[in-house]
Amino acid sequence: MRDALLIVKKDLLTEFRKKESIVSMVFFGFLLLVILNIAMGIGRELDGEIAAGILWVSIIFSAVLGLGRVLSQEKENRCIDGLLLSPVEPEQIYAAKTMVNFIFMVVAEVVLIPAFFVFYGDRFARHLPMLVVVVLLVNLGFSTVGTLFSAITAGTRRNEVLLPLLLFPVITPLIALAVKVTGSLFEDVPYREYSSWLYVIAAFGFIFSGVGYLLFDYVIKEG
Amino acid sequence: MDRSGFLRIEGLRKSYDGVDALRGIDLELERGDFLSLFGPNGAGKTTLIRIIATLLKPSSGSVRVMDFDMEEHPEEFRARLGVISHQSFLYSDLSARENLEFYAALYGVSDPAAKAEELLGLVGLLDRADSKVSGFSRGMQQRLSIARALVNDPVLLLLDEPYTGLDQSASILLSSHLRRLHGQHRTIVMVTHDLKRGLEAASKVGILARGKLVYLKERGGIDPGEFEHAYLRYLKGVPDV
Amino acid sequence: MDNGFRSRVLPVVVGLLFLSAIYTIFFYAPTERVMGIVQKIFYVHLSMAFTAFLSFFVAFVCGILYLTKKDIKWDVYGSSSVEIGVVFISLTLMSGVLWARPIWNTWWTWDPRLTTALILWFIYVSYLILRTSVEQEGKRAAYCAVLAIVGFVDVPIVFMSARIWRTIHPVVIRSDSIDMEPSMILTLVITLAAFLSLWFLLFKLKTSVALTCKRIRFLENKMEGGDL
């Protein structure tokens, strides 16, 4: 765990210097919020599920931008070899990169979700604590699968193009569940009616934490 | 520590997609040896280094270093290994000092800051310690890379084409650093195709051609001119041992 | 010789099974009262869905075996299986659409089974795209093995999450009973057998072609090495 935290610290320091990933994530997510608002018809009162869909499309699409960098930045100067040559276990690298991606998503969401309330109405902000729980669980699911896949695509010729192609099919259920639960929140649906969906979101995150932890070693090393 | 059999490679083979990169390497080094391995591109030099470094698994054969268990606990071996390549493994957005502190911490060095300071002094980069690596010349990056490889005080140093991209003065500086490292009784394996530089510091020289070790001798009795001749002969691939 | 004999017998078996399947579907099984002739697509549809699912399961198992054993033959088996699976899942989706139009009066509906099939189609097509994007054999095999495992682990989650949408898909086979006439069951069994034998034939052909290609490349590389 100590090794993972060292890598997280190093990545956050780099990001703090360059602000490469987070600025693009926030900017792109914000842009999507506006474009989707236009697409839905400006000035229209949206129902909860559609609003939830817009929010999640913006978050997920912007998160993919940051995800691609999380591992491909280690390919510069072959720093990844430096990590693999150190006594650090590959699983620690996986844990670190998942955490970094999770943190990037949280930072982007701290900007994007308030922006969403501004554009689409603060009536959606009524169940904020529960929304935070949903967001964190979805972030977990996204980061665990995403980090594994970004290790795969970082080893291919077409990193940036390939990542969304591989990732989106697998996380489609996660997006569907996130929209469903968030939509229920926005519509004041009582907890017991959507709680089972929330459990599936949590299960997604935990299952893929395990899968990623077990499989990362095979994709980060070559041959 | 017993001097003999520090590094022992037996019947090492590696093939990718049916292409044999290494076709049976046997090699034994003693503690304190400095082996320069020469070979043309595609001879399997980098593959050999990556296998010794546990980054690649051999198709068959074995590598043993001291009595480390390279199969089950490679991290114990890696903790005592240093690698310098033509790629620096440095983060360009971090300063020289931050890079060294990060790597020192990864290796569990008790006081990373002091270690970084010491190594920066060693490679003569103290005055640029807090500049970002992205602004460094190739030669400075290579010096920092040497410092990086020393954070864990390695017993074995692997050098993969360290002279690539260095200008004349940077090469000379690198050679003098390597001589000093060798003087401290570290075992060093270097692969390169730079004959002159490679011969300078070595205590043993070998030639790797088409995945085989076709030549291995003590540096002592070798005349550089003759060696070059022999090297070219092996490149043409006349005698296949 | 034995291999040659078998490779000629299997296509004949597949052909005969398909002829019997066509015969039983159109001349033996009764025409369903409510849906009429369209219902007959069900035999083919269900058989193809099952074979597709089997393919992905095989790829999942091969993925695990490749990662643990690092033997390239498991990559050949796994990828061949996915290729066949993608063909069958595509046909499943198409036959479902053809059936749904007259019966449900809509081409597509977001039913859990349809949604699951569609997402599976996306996952395994992305697997095929990944295969074309990696040159180095060992790397490609490892990446694809991981994707085959992740994809299959995702299946139950996909199915669970697809329950978000209400179902109008007929549930013909439940765990305790089968909602069909005996003659229909027999027809289904024969069709299923036909498709399974076809799967096996395709799998054998595909893997033997792939292994031969590898062998040729291997020998070519050997020759090159010797000539130098």
Side-chain angles (χ1 to χ4, degrees):
Chain A
M1 205 54 197
R2 190 194 63 92
D3 297 332
L5 291 177
L6 280 170
I7 300 173
V8 172
K9 205 179 114 203
K10 185 265 300 169
D11 278 4
L12 292 183
L13 182 63
T14 311
E15 179 60 27
F16 179 73
R17 292 254 162 88
K18 276 192 120 179
K19 298 173 190 72
E20 212 172 30
S21 300
I22 287 177
V23 169
S24 350
M25 284 167 76
V26 170
F27 178 78
F28 188 56
F30 190 51
L31 188 63
L32 281 170
L33 282 177
V34 173
I35 290 173
L36 290 170
N37 200 351
I38 295 168
M40 291 297 139
I42 289 173
R44 192 108 62 81
E45 189 88 335
L46 296 179
D47 71 40
E49 199 144 324
I50 295 177
I54 290 171
L55 177 64
W56 280 111
V57 167
S58 307
I59 291 177
I60 297 290
F61 276 59
S62 71
V64 173
L65 290 189
L67 184 63
R69 289 282 302 153
V70 167
L71 268 152
S72 62
Q73 60 159 347
E74 298 284 351
K75 294 272 163 169
E76 231 175 89
N77 295 336
R78 308 260 341 173
C79 289
I80 188 68
D81 283 352
L83 293 184
L84 291 172
L85 281 166
S86 75
V88 175
E89 288 156 1
E91 288 79 12
Q92 298 286 321
I93 303 176
Y94 174 71
K97 292 297 175 181
T98 306
M99 276 189 259
V100 169
N101 188 66
F102 187 93
I103 294 168
F104 284 7
M105 281 181 86
V106 170
V107 175
E109 283 154 351
V110 165
V111 183
L112 289 179
I113 293 175
F116 168 80
F117 293 143
V118 170
F119 279 107
Y120 295 88
D122 54 8
R123 65 198 164 92
F124 293 129
R126 277 172 307 212
H127 303 281
L128 201 54
M130 200 58 202
L131 183 63
V132 170
V133 173
V134 178
V135 164
L136 292 180
L137 285 176
V138 175
N139 287 2
L140 176 71
F142 182 91
S143 304
T144 51
V145 187
T147 305
L148 181 65
F149 279 19
S150 80
I152 291 180
T153 58
T156 68
R157 283 177 286 122
R158 325 188 285 161
N159 178 26
E160 310 294 331
V161 184
L162 205 53
L163 182 56
L165 295 188
L166 296 188
L167 183 62
F168 282 140
V170 173
I171 62 165
T172 304
L174 183 68
I175 299 172
L177 292 163
V179 170
K180 179 75 184 178
V181 173
T182 312
S184 307
L185 281 181
F186 289 171
E187 294 281 321
D188 297 315
V189 172
Y191 174 75
R192 62 173 189 285
E193 278 180 37
Y194 63 78
S195 60
S196 60
W197 304 125
L198 196 62
Y199 298 147
V200 182
I201 296 180
F204 187 98
F206 290 115
I207 289 171
F208 282 107
S209 313
V211 171
Y213 194 81
L214 289 173
L215 298 182
F216 187 75
D217 191 22
Y218 298 108
V219 292
I220 200 67
K221 287 188 188 152
E222 48 177 288
Chain B
M1 174 64 60
D2 184 13
R3 259 179 62 91
S4 72
F6 174 82
L7 170 80
R8 185 178 296 148
I9 297 175
E10 277 167 358
L12 193 67
R13 289 173 173 276
K14 174 75 186 174
S15 56
Y16 305 94
D17 308 6
V19 184
D20 294 324
L22 296 179
R23 307 193 295 163
I25 303 269
D26 295 286
L27 174 67
E28 196 170 324
L29 288 183
E30 288 165 10
R31 198 187 185 95
D33 275 346
F34 186 148
L35 171 70
S36 278
L37 266 180
F38 303 97
N41 292 334
K45 292 176 301 189
T46 299
T47 304
L48 178 62
I49 289 288
R50 291 179 77 83
I51 289 177
I52 301 176
T54 71
L55 282 180
L56 273 181
K57 281 204 161 57
S59 304
S60 65
S62 70
V63 178
R64 295 209 67 74
V65 178
M66 291 162 72
D67 41 14
F68 288 112
D69 185 347
M70 322 258 294
E71 286 286 316
E72 289 300 311
H73 300 287
E75 48 302 328
E76 284 169 22
F77 164 65
R78 291 200 299 256
R80 304 306 310 278
L81 170 76
V83 176
I84 300 169
S85 137
H86 48 284
Q87 302 276 6
S88 66
F89 308 170
L90 296 170
Y91 294 94
S92 6
D93 297 315
L94 300 182
S95 72
R97 191 190 301 280
E98 284 161 346
N99 265 291
L100 292 184
E101 284 179 7
F102 171 65
Y103 276 107
L106 273 191
Y107 281 91
V109 171
S110 54
D111 187 354
K115 191 79 192 172
E117 185 78 14
E118 174 203 328
L119 290 170
L120 284 166
L122 182 78
V123 295
L125 283 173
L126 264 180
D127 49 337
R128 295 294 302 275
D130 297 306
S131 316
K132 276 193 189 180
V133 169
S134 52
F136 280 22
S137 71
R138 183 77 189 86
M140 285 161 73
Q141 289 199 21
Q142 193 60 303
R143 266 145 72 200
L144 187 57
S145 186
I146 296 173
R148 191 217 73 235
L150 296 178
V151 290
N152 57 337
D153 195 20
V155 290
L156 176 65
L157 261 178
L158 301 175
L159 314 177
D160 182 8
E161 303 281 7
Y163 292 99
T164 305
L166 293 187
D167 60 24
Q168 196 66 17
S169 62
S171 294
I172 292 169
L173 198 60
L174 175 60
S175 288
S176 75
H177 277 299
L178 293 183
R179 263 195 300 275
R180 191 167 59 212
L181 294 179
H182 182 219
Q184 292 160 349
H185 239 74
R186 279 182 231 276
T187 312
I188 301 179
V189 177
M190 171 162 80
V191 300
T192 178
H193 45 230
D194 188 330
L195 287 184
K196 183 163 169 282
R197 301 281 165 223
L199 280 172
E200 267 172 8
S203 70
K204 272 185 179 168
V205 284
I207 296 175
L208 199 61
R210 283 181 293 127
K212 284 193 169 180
L213 192 61
V214 292
Y215 180 100
L216 183 67
K217 276 201 179 130
E218 293 289 328
R219 167 71 180 87
I222 294 174
D223 170 67
E226 234 168 68
F227 179 75
E228 190 172 349
H229 198 70
Y231 179 62
L232 290 174
R233 206 152 38 88
Y234 282 113
L235 281 203
K236 290 198 193 103
V238 185
D240 198 342
V241 190
Chain C
M1 275 315 281
D2 175 51
N3 201 18
F5 177 69
R6 258 195 292 166
S7 68
R8 251 165 290 168
V9 164
L10 189 57
V12 173
V13 171
V14 174
L16 287 176
L17 275 168
F18 263 91
L19 284 176
S20 348
I22 291 167
Y23 176 81
T24 47
I25 289 172
F26 289 102
F27 302 106
Y28 174 68
T31 305
E32 217 261 353
R33 258 161 294 155
V34 188
M35 297 188 230
I37 189 96
V38 184
Q39 181 267 344
K40 291 189 183 295
I41 212 169
F42 151 83
Y43 303 108
V44 177
H45 175 73
L46 193 134
S47 305
M48 290 191 301
F50 184 82
T51 356
F53 199 76
L54 172 78
S55 310
F56 301 142
F57 177 68
V58 170
F60 167 70
V61 174
C62 290
I64 294 174
L65 287 171
Y66 176 77
L67 292 181
T68 48
K69 303 224 190 303
K70 292 275 159 165
D71 184 341
I72 201 72
K73 82 174 181 212
W74 295 116
D75 177 55
V76 170
Y77 293 161
S79 61
S80 306
S81 196
V82 168
E83 277 181 41
I84 302 167
V86 167
V87 171
F88 279 119
I89 195 91
S90 308
L91 292 172
T92 306
L93 285 166
M94 282 183 230
S95 60
V97 163
L98 290 177
W99 177 85
R101 183 70 183 96
I103 302 300
W104 291 341
N105 206 22
T106 172
W107 294 109
W108 184 260
T109 173
W110 292 100
D111 158 87
R113 284 157 204 247
L114 272 68
T115 310
T116 305
L118 182 63
I119 293 176
L120 282 185
W121 184 86
F122 276 119
I123 291 175
Y124 290 98
V125 170
S126 82
Y127 174 103
L128 297 181
I129 294 173
L130 176 64
R131 275 197 94 71
T132 63
S133 315
V134 194
E135 303 271 302
Q136 206 184 309
E137 189 178 72
K139 224 179 187 182
R140 181 175 60 211
Y143 290 175
C144 286
V146 167
L147 188 55
I149 295 170
V150 170
F152 198 76
V153 170
D154 207 32
V155 170
I157 305 174
V158 170
F159 191 76
M160 260 198 282
S161 65
R163 284 186 299 130
I164 289 174
W165 301 286
R166 69 207 156 76
T167 180
I168 55 172
H169 194 286
V171 181
V172 180
I173 300 172
R174 293 188 190 83
S175 55
D176 51 343
S177 68
I178 298 181
D179 197 3
M180 277 192 299
E181 278 183 41
S183 58
M184 287 177 160
I185 296 174
L186 181 63
T187 307
L188 180 62
V189 167
I190 292 173
T191 316
L192 191 57
F195 273 96
L196 285 177
S197 65
L198 177 64
W199 182 88
F200 193 65
L201 175 66
L202 291 174
F203 184 75
K204 279 200 73 161
L205 287 174
K206 177 71 202 149
T207 50
S208 76
V209 168
L211 288 172
T212 309
C213 282
K214 279 209 190 313
R215 182 83 191 137
I216 290 171
R217 255 240 314 280
F218 179 78
L219 291 173
E220 275 177 355
N221 288 332
K222 273 266 175 297
M223 272 168 64
E224 243 165 68
D227 283 345
L228 260 173

